[in-house]
Amino acid sequence: MELLVLTRDAAPEASRPILDGIAADLGLVPNLAATIAASPTLLAGFDGLRRAVADESFDPVHREIAGLAVGAAVDNAYGVAFHSTVLAGLGLDAGDIATMRKGEEPPDEQRAAVYAFARALVLDRGAID
């Protein structure tokens, strides 16, 4: 099956303002969003989740570390690539990113805790002590 990565103009009318908001927030439209834009309902759900985890009370580096940990844990190449790119843009050390991409915790204690928690959460299906 081939999934189409839609441009803004090729997306349904109802998806366009959501894509515009994603582009304004991230500086780009990730391929995942451009692909699911074929369904305005699915795109709106994705955008709602994206906005929920983008709350300013959640450190953006920690958010992306959690995303990378989940991607690495479930062998999601797209998620690993996306969150690695965002982490690099946030200034995280390339060596730390490479370590996490391999499924290992970064050296910083707090970041390691975020990574370990997110990884355990997905691998243990929410059964965290």
Side-chain angles (χ1 to χ4, degrees), residues 61-126:
V61 171
H62 290 165
R63 178 186 64 236
E64 298 306 325
I65 287 173
L68 178 52
V70 169
V74 301
D75 198 27
N76 174 347
Y78 175 82
V80 169
F82 177 78
H83 294 289
S84 296
T85 299
V86 176
L87 281 167
L90 291 170
L92 199 70
D93 178 76
D96 289 354
I97 295 170
T99 296
M100 292 185 285
R101 289 174 65 102
K102 292 187 294 187
E104 301 169 10
E105 296 171 12
D108 177 86
E109 187 175 307
Q110 190 175 40
R111 291 174 178 174
V114 170
Y115 188 90
F117 179 75
R119 182 175 173 77
L121 191 63
V122 69
L123 291 177
D124 297 337
R125 299 175 188 245

